[in-house]
Amino acid sequence: MKLLFKTSIYFLVSSIIVFTIGSIIFYFLVLKEINREIDELLVFNKEKIIEHVQKENSLPDFNNIYDIKVIASPTLINNNINIFKDTLLFNELKNENVSYRVLEFSCKTEKQFVKIQLLKSFFEIGDLIKGILTFILLLILFLLLALFVLNIFISQITFKPFYYMLQKLQNFDITKNKPLDIGNPKTFEFIQLKNELMIMTDKARMDYTIQKEFIENSSHEIQTPIAIVKAKCEMLLQSKTLTEIELTSVANIIEAVNRLSKLNNALLLITKIENKQFLDNKEINVANCINEQISEFADIISIKRIKLIKQFIQPKFININPVLADILFSNLISNAIKHNFEDGVINIILNENFLIIQNSGTLFKGNPNYIFNRFFKDKSNPNSLGLGLTIVKKITDLYKIKITYCYGN
C-alpha cells in the first residue's frame, strides 16, 4: 500500500470516528436542550393553572392552553411536587403511538383534590431533530469527502521531495561513481533525510571503489607469486638430481599451487559478481551458448562415453554479460560431466520458460539445501573447490533467474 493512500485511509477512518462521536454527543445535547425547553414550558403552564385555581378556586378552561394536552383526574393526595416523565400515547392523526413529555402535579379546588398531567408532544420536535440530523449527516459526508481529497492533494505536495529522493535512490548506480543528486528540499525532516542519504551513498561509493581496487590489485599481486612458484617447481621437475620422493613432493606443490590459483580466481570472480562489475549485457542465445560449451567438453564426454541428449524445444534469449553466460553454462555442464558415470547420460531440455540439465550419477549424500553455499561439496569428490555452484547461484541471483536442484531414481 502506498504511503499517500495509507495516510489518507487513516485520516478518513479517524475522521469518521471523530464525526460519529461528535454527532452522537450533539444529538444528546440537542435532545437535552429540547427537554429543558419543554420542561420550562410545562412548568410555566402549571404555574398559570395554579394561579387560576388560587384565584377562581376552580380549574381553568384547558382548551385555552395552546399545544398542551391536559388530563385532570380526582385524587386523594395533594402533592404539589413536579414529576417529569416520558410516555407514549396513541395519536389519531398519525394513527400511531407518539412520545410525550409529561409534567404531573396536584392541586386543591373548592370541591376536591385534582391530579393534573400536562403533556407536550415530541411529534413536531422529533421531525425537527430528524431534519437536523439528516442535514448534519449530509454535511459530514460532504466534509469527509472534501477533506479526503484535500488531504491527498496536500500530501502529494508535502511528500513530493520524498518521492523525488526515492526515485533518485532507486536509480542510483554505485558503479558509475557519481554522487547522489536528490535536489534541495525545504522541509526540515527531508533535509535531514537528504543529509543521511548523502552520507550513506558517499560511504558506499568509497567502499565500492576501495574494494574494487583491492580486487584488481589482489588479482594481479597474488597471481604473480603463484605463477613464479609454479614455474620454479616445473623447473625442479626437470632436474635429474632429485629423488623420487622429492619429485613427488614437487608435484604435490604444483597441484596445491594450481588449486590455490583456481581458488583465488573463483573467489575474485564471486566478489566481482556481487559488486556488479559485469555490466556490458547483451542478448545471448542460450542454445548457441550451450552448444559452444558442449564443444569445449567434447573430448571428456567422449572419453567417459556419455550419451548426450539435447531437446531444444524453443529458442530462448536472455540479456546477460557474455563472460558470465559462458561461466554459468560451463559450470553447469562441467558438473553434469564431473558427477556422471562412464556410459552415463546427460539430458538437456530448453524451452521459453526453463532450462533443465539432467545427468546420471551417484546418489548425492549431502543436504541439497546447502548445495549452493560456498565450499560445500559432495563427500565423494574431495578435490572439488566447492565454489562452482556458488558462482552459478551468484550469476542467477544477479539476473533474477530462479535455480533449483533435485535428484531422484
Side-chain angles (χ1 to χ4, degrees), residues 161-204:
F162 170 77
Y163 286 108
Y164 179 78
M165 285 189 283
L166 183 61
Q167 181 185 9
K168 289 293 184 179
L169 194 61
Q170 288 172 336
N171 296 328
F172 177 68
D173 189 353
I174 197 172
T175 61
K176 292 182 179 179
N177 199 23
K178 292 182 180 179
L180 183 66
D181 179 20
I182 47 180
N184 296 302
K186 306 298 181 183
T187 308
F188 176 75
E189 287 77 9
F190 291 154
I191 293 173
Q192 284 186 311
L193 178 61
K194 174 192 172 182
N195 293 336
E196 293 300 323
L197 286 175
M198 293 300 296
I199 293 172
M200 182 185 69
T201 52
D202 287 345
K203 186 179 185 303

Side-chain angles (χ1 to χ4, degrees), residues 234-334:
E234 289 175 349
M235 288 176 62
L236 284 174
L237 282 177
Q238 297 174 7
S239 174
K240 297 179 180 179
T241 60
L242 296 178
T243 65
E244 185 177 347
I245 295 175
E246 291 171 335
L247 288 173
T248 302
S249 298
V250 172
N252 290 337
I253 292 172
I254 292 176
E255 183 180 351
V257 168
N258 287 334
R259 183 178 174 83
L260 178 61
S261 178
K262 290 179 181 178
L263 180 63
N264 178 61
N265 290 333
L267 291 174
L268 290 174
L269 176 61
I270 290 173
T271 306
K272 287 182 178 181
I273 294 171
E274 290 176 338
N275 288 339
K276 300 181 180 180
Q277 291 179 228
F278 296 91
L279 299 175
D280 299 325
N281 298 334
K282 293 182 180 179
E283 286 290 327
I284 299 295
N285 187 316
V286 176
N288 291 343
C289 195
I290 291 174
N291 284 328
E292 290 175 6
Q293 296 304 321
I294 290 174
S295 299
E296 295 287 335
F297 294 102
D299 292 339
I300 303 176
I301 292 173
S302 176
I303 291 170
K304 295 186 75 170
R305 299 186 301 278
I306 295 173
K307 182 180 179 181
L308 181 65
I309 303 172
K310 295 187 293 185
Q311 302 178 57
F312 295 165
I313 301 169
Q314 289 175 298
K316 176 63 179 178
F317 292 85
I318 57 174
N319 190 33
I320 190 173
N321 181 277
V323 175
L324 293 184
D326 289 339
I327 295 171
L328 173 65
F329 297 117
S330 174
N331 281 0
L332 290 173
I333 294 171
S334 173

Side-chain angles (χ1 to χ4, degrees), residues 89-99 123:
L89 293 177
F90 185 77
N91 187 292
E92 296 180 355
L93 180 63
K94 298 295 293 181
N95 196 28
E96 62 182 13
N97 288 327
V98 175
S99 297
F123 174 67

Side-chain angles (χ1 to χ4, degrees), residues 141-158:
L141 289 175
F142 171 76
L143 288 175
L144 284 174
L145 181 61
L147 289 173
F148 181 74
V149 174
L150 188 62
N151 179 67
I152 292 177
F153 178 72
I154 294 174
S155 298
Q156 285 177 339
I157 296 175
T158 305

Side-chain angles (χ1 to χ4, degrees), residues 38 41 61 67 140 215 225 248-249 332 338 349 357 407:
I38 292 176
L41 177 63
D61 183 6
D67 204 26
I140 288 174
I215 293 169
T248 302
S249 298
L332 290 173
K338 186 187 303 181
I349 305 170
I357 299 178
Y407 65 93

